[in-house]
Amino acid sequence: MRYKTTETKNTVQYTIIQDITKNGKRTTRVYENIGNYDKLKLRAGNEDPITWLNNYVKELNKKVKEDSLPIIIQKNPNKIIDKYVQIEFNVGYLFLQDLYYKLGLDNICKVISDRHQFKFDLNDILSKLIYSRILFPASKLKTMQLSKKFFEQPNFEYHHIERALPILCEENDYIQSQLYNNSKKYFPKNNRILYYDCTNFFFETEYEDDFRKYGKSKENRPNPIVQMGLFMDGDGIPLSCEITPGNTNEQITLKPLEKKIIKDFNLAEIVVCTDAGLASKANRKFNDKMGRKFITTQSIKKLKGFLKEEVLDLTKGWHLPGIDKTFNIEKLRTDEDLIEQYKDKIFYKERWIKEDGIEQRLIITYSVKYQEYQKHIRNNQIERAKKLIENNPKKIGKAKQNDPKRFIETINTTNNGEIASEVYYSINQSVIDEEAKYDGLYAVCTNLEDKVEDIVKVNHKRWEIEESFRIMKSEFKSRPAFHSKEEAIKAHFLISFLSLTIYRYLEKVLEEKYTVGEILDTLRDMNLKLDAKDSYSPNYVRTDLTDDLHEKFGFRTDYEATREKNLKKICKITKN
């Protein structure tokens, strides 16, 4: 840093000049215009102007060494900004990038690149596809454009993405197993409990093929689908996924994927927790040997008659954990005082049963809160059914499971048994009464001998895998999928799986203090604005969440001004 004088016809101008390196070459730039001698005297006050100027330059050079030099931004109100020059960049992705590199996905890409001997940057492609899927989900072409929002610009072209997808599909198993092994170095694993569930994703097409098949859509859409089976560990972290054709029976998807993760992840004594839809006899038998255990939701309505009768008897055999007596909970259905007293308690009864060669423990729980929840849901559906009768009876047709139409009965005969001239509809009270019998009741089957409260607690966490599917579908917009080739489809959902894994780790780092919406909206809005040639300022609101992000990850993007060289240092930090 030095000062420069420029003589004009009438005066002398004083300017502070700074030496900088740009594109590997040494050059200079104007740091500050002091002005003419009169302005210099005004700045110097009682001190000799030239002496003051020399001391001012020394102070600036000291601040350069301390990296605390103030950034002076000069704007010309008469100058139009340059065309096609980007002045805002997202830095929210840097927190995702830190986790991406901690999980060793860069090294995984290097091994794959060496194996296939291609020239394009697979690591840059995969990382940008993951960050974009989390922050700006879109099609491949749109993702290519949106990834230019990031401070670090993409180092690939669109056709490189097209070439990368088949390779990602081919290396799917390697990526998942290596990701698991890498994660153990940085994050503790809770692998005794594994959760498994299935969902499906639809496509914007009406034509099925060898992979996209018509099946039972979770969204009840008339489109071809594919199915995803997902394993999650006891902390809600995705472990492995598998994509199968949409017409595959979900019950047969568990064993192949479980066998693979047992082998690839070197797991042994595990407890697999599933919902009732995956509770086949074959799956229970598979997890009833070699130290494996299961906890699975059991439909009370599908129990054998004598078991169902025993379950529905609320007058005897009910316990509270830690209390050595039985309870009659029949009155909890109607007694407001008892409801208030026991609203936070979970009662249970249990017995061992042996069916089809499997000895398992049937645990029934009763909860006032669950009872009120089911009652609330049913009452809302009854109201919808009443409105349908009143406003649009022509739409009353065959009711599906859990459809409000199930509460509607059709009357098309007279009291004499003759065919009526008109069809009448009414609410079927007997259906309501039958469903109310099961209010508050929940059943699981298990071959574990653990405490009931521990088993209930484990089973309760199944909501996290259901939320994971919701995040992929809603937040990451993984459906509808627009790919048509099987290898591209599998690569698309691999990227969704990896995105979900990184996001779940981010939640853990933030100690699960914030909602999905809060986290993603904050990261998407964390933009820096280019104010000068190499100076950026935050163009987002600083909050408790942004403070937590900076504290947990050890770098800051919220200074009033940040030089480009320091931003590049942060990028390097996130890749260590």
Side-chain angles (χ1 to χ4, degrees):
M1 198 81 74
R2 63 187 185 277
Y3 74 86
K4 175 184 176 182
T5 59
T6 305
E7 294 187 13
T8 63
K9 184 177 180 181
N10 300 318
T11 188
V12 176
Q13 296 288 331
Y14 294 86
T15 309
I16 306 296
I17 301 298
Q18 183 180 13
D19 295 318
I20 62 171
T21 301
K22 188 173 183 180
N23 299 325
K25 296 181 179 179
R26 296 286 295 175
T27 184
T28 61
R29 70 174 179 184
V30 175
Y31 173 73
E32 184 180 358
N33 286 315
I34 299 296
N36 59 25
Y37 189 75
D38 290 337
K39 290 183 179 180
L40 175 61
K41 284 173 62 178
L42 189 64
R43 293 278 294 271
N46 296 327
E47 193 175 353
D48 175 70
I50 301 302
T51 302
W52 176 87
L53 185 58
N54 282 318
N55 290 335
Y56 182 57
V57 169
K58 287 180 182 179
E59 183 64 26
L60 290 178
N61 282 322
K62 180 181 177 183
K63 290 182 177 180
V64 168
K65 292 180 180 180
E66 295 172 349
D67 201 18
S68 61
L69 182 70
I71 295 172
I72 298 175
I73 300 170
Q74 297 179 345
K75 299 286 186 181
N76 187 341
N78 297 316
K79 182 181 178 182
I80 298 174
I81 62 173
D82 296 332
K83 277 186 177 181
Y84 311 118
V85 175
Q86 186 176 349
I87 61 172
E88 190 171 78
F89 301 86
N90 179 272
V91 290
Y93 80 94
L94 291 172
F95 305 99
L96 305 174
Q97 181 162 279
D98 186 276
L99 293 168
Y100 177 95
Y101 278 82
K102 274 188 172 67
L103 291 168
L105 282 160
D106 59 318
N107 292 325
I108 292 173
C109 287
K110 184 179 185 306
V111 171
I112 294 173
S113 299
D114 292 344
R115 186 181 295 159
H116 291 267
Q117 294 295 305
F118 48 70
K119 297 292 179 69
F120 57 85
D121 191 340
L122 180 64
N123 180 50
D124 197 41
I125 292 172
L126 180 60
S127 61
K128 294 297 194 298
L129 288 175
I130 289 173
Y131 309 154
S132 297
R133 178 57 51 188
I134 297 173
L135 300 180
F136 312 115
S139 65
K140 299 192 301 294
L141 181 59
K142 191 68 175 176
T143 295
M144 178 72 213
Q145 299 165 352
L146 292 173
S147 64
K148 293 178 182 178
K149 286 187 173 187
F150 301 134
F151 176 73
E152 295 171 284
Q153 297 290 287
N155 183 33
F156 54 87
E157 302 295 334
Y158 176 71
H159 67 273
H160 293 141
I161 299 178
E162 293 282 302
R163 292 176 60 192
L165 293 180
I167 295 169
L168 291 173
C169 173
E170 182 181 340
E171 299 286 354
N172 190 344
D173 290 347
Y174 170 74
I175 292 171
Q176 291 190 40
S177 62
Q178 199 60 41
L179 174 65
Y180 171 80
N181 290 330
N182 292 347
S183 68
K184 291 189 294 185
K185 301 174 185 176
Y186 296 99
F187 303 97
K189 308 300 292 182
N190 182 0
N191 289 339
R192 180 174 181 262
I193 309 295
L194 301 185
Y195 295 88
Y196 182 74
D197 204 352
C198 283
T199 192
N200 46 53
F201 298 84
F202 68 88
F203 292 77
E204 286 290 3
T205 180
E206 296 179 1
Y207 303 99
E208 65 175 3
D209 51 34
D210 292 339
F211 197 61
R212 299 174 296 174
K213 294 287 188 179
Y214 285 110
K216 188 176 180 181
S217 170
K218 302 288 185 180
E219 287 91 8
N220 296 314
R221 297 182 64 96
N223 303 86
I225 57 176
V226 297
Q227 188 163 251
M228 172 186 280
L230 175 68
F231 265 105
M232 179 185 84
D233 73 11
D235 290 326
I237 304 297
L239 285 181
S240 185
C241 74
E242 186 71 30
I243 305 298
T244 53
N247 61 352
T248 306
N249 182 343
E250 67 178 14
Q251 292 197 3
I252 67 172
T253 63
L254 183 145
K255 285 171 59 178
L257 185 55
E258 186 177 344
K259 286 179 179 178
K260 185 163 67 175
I261 65 172
I262 288 172
K263 177 183 176 183
D264 292 349
F265 299 173
N266 194 27
L267 301 178
E269 296 183 359
I270 57 177
V271 179
V272 176
C273 189
T274 69
D275 67 8
L278 292 154
S280 68
K281 296 173 186 175
N283 288 342
R284 296 189 202 196
K285 285 184 176 180
F286 181 71
N287 285 307
D288 193 37
K289 55 189 176 184
M290 300 180 69
R292 294 192 296 273
K293 303 293 181 182
F294 65 83
I295 302 173
T296 186
T297 305
Q298 171 64 51
S299 169
I300 296 175
K301 294 178 181 179
K302 292 182 180 180
L303 288 172
K304 290 183 177 180
F306 75 97
L307 290 173
K308 187 190 301 185
E309 183 178 340
E310 185 177 321
V311 167
L312 294 176
D313 183 359
L314 302 182
T315 63
K316 58 186 179 182
W318 293 91
H319 301 264
L320 276 176
I323 298 179
D324 189 22
K325 73 171 186 176
T326 60
F327 291 82
N328 179 342
I329 60 174
E330 179 67 44
K331 291 184 178 180
L332 278 177
R333 291 282 174 91
T334 56
D335 191 316
E336 294 297 330
D337 290 336
L338 289 175
I339 288 174
E340 182 64 26
Q341 181 180 351
Y342 291 106
K343 65 180 181 181
D344 295 321
K345 303 295 184 182
I346 296 179
F347 296 86
Y348 73 92
K349 65 166 59 175
E350 62 174 322
R351 63 168 292 167
W352 284 88
I353 58 177
K354 187 171 184 178
E355 293 180 350
D356 303 306
I358 308 174
E359 195 168 352
Q360 52 192 322
R361 187 177 170 199
L362 174 64
I363 299 174
I364 313 297
T365 62
Y366 175 85
S367 162
V368 171
K369 284 186 176 180
Y370 189 46
Q371 172 183 288
E372 294 303 309
Y373 168 77
Q374 289 179 301
K375 186 177 179 180
H376 174 73
I377 296 295
R378 184 173 58 253
N379 286 342
N380 285 342
Q381 291 183 326
I382 292 170
E383 289 303 314
R384 289 168 59 191
K386 288 178 178 178
K387 288 181 180 179
L388 189 61
I389 293 172
E390 182 180 350
N391 300 326
N392 206 350
K394 290 183 179 180
K395 286 196 172 182
I396 298 175
K398 187 176 180 181
K400 297 178 181 179
Q401 188 179 12
N402 298 324
D403 192 323
K405 296 176 186 176
R406 71 187 185 276
F407 295 117
I408 300 175
E409 66 173 336
T410 303
I411 304 171
N412 52 18
T413 61
T414 66
N415 292 333
N416 297 326
E418 297 176 356
I419 298 176
S421 58
E422 293 184 37
V423 176
Y424 297 93
Y425 301 98
S426 66
I427 298 298
N428 192 333
Q429 187 61 43
S430 64
V431 174
I432 297 174
D433 294 341
E434 180 62 26
E435 288 198 9
K437 293 180 182 178
Y438 299 90
D439 284 357
L441 297 171
Y442 191 87
V444 297
C445 279
T446 181
N447 53 355
L448 283 169
E449 298 183 12
D450 297 41
K451 293 179 180 178
V452 169
E453 53 266 41
D454 293 337
I455 293 171
V456 170
K457 185 177 180 180
V458 167
N459 185 68
H460 179 70
K461 286 198 69 175
R462 279 197 311 102
W463 68 269
E464 288 190 284
I465 198 167
E466 294 168 359
E467 185 192 51
S468 292
F469 287 142
R470 185 191 63 76
I471 291 171
M472 280 195 285
K473 291 180 178 183
S474 300
E475 301 294 344
F476 297 172
K477 293 182 170 55
S478 297
R479 59 91 169 100
F482 297 95
H483 300 280
S484 56
K485 295 180 180 179
E486 180 177 340
E487 56 191 14
I489 292 169
K490 288 185 174 181
H492 168 74
F493 288 110
L494 171 64
I495 291 164
S496 295
F497 167 80
L498 296 174
S499 301
L500 178 66
T501 303
I502 288 175
Y503 171 76
R504 284 302 199 192
Y505 277 121
L506 177 60
E507 282 187 326
K508 298 299 179 186
V509 172
L510 292 171
E511 300 175 354
E512 300 180 329
K513 291 166 58 177
Y514 305 96
T515 66
V516 178
E518 288 171 337
I519 294 172
L520 295 183
D521 287 346
T522 295
L523 294 180
R524 288 164 183 156
D525 290 341
M526 290 187 75
N527 297 318
L528 296 186
K529 186 178 180 182
L530 179 62
D531 290 321
K533 290 185 178 180
D534 70 342
S535 172
Y536 298 80
S537 63
N539 199 24
Y540 61 87
V541 177
R542 181 186 168 200
T543 65
D544 290 341
L545 175 49
T546 62
D547 280 353
D548 276 350
L549 284 165
H550 290 128
E551 180 183 343
K552 299 292 186 183
F553 286 88
F555 61 83
R556 303 203 73 93
T557 64
D558 55 357
Y559 292 112
E560 287 186 355
T562 302
R563 295 193 184 282
E564 186 172 291
K565 65 176 184 179
N566 291 332
L567 277 176
K568 290 181 178 179
K569 286 180 182 178
I570 291 173
C571 294
K572 288 183 179 180
I573 289 171
T574 63
K575 295 177 181 179
N576 287 336

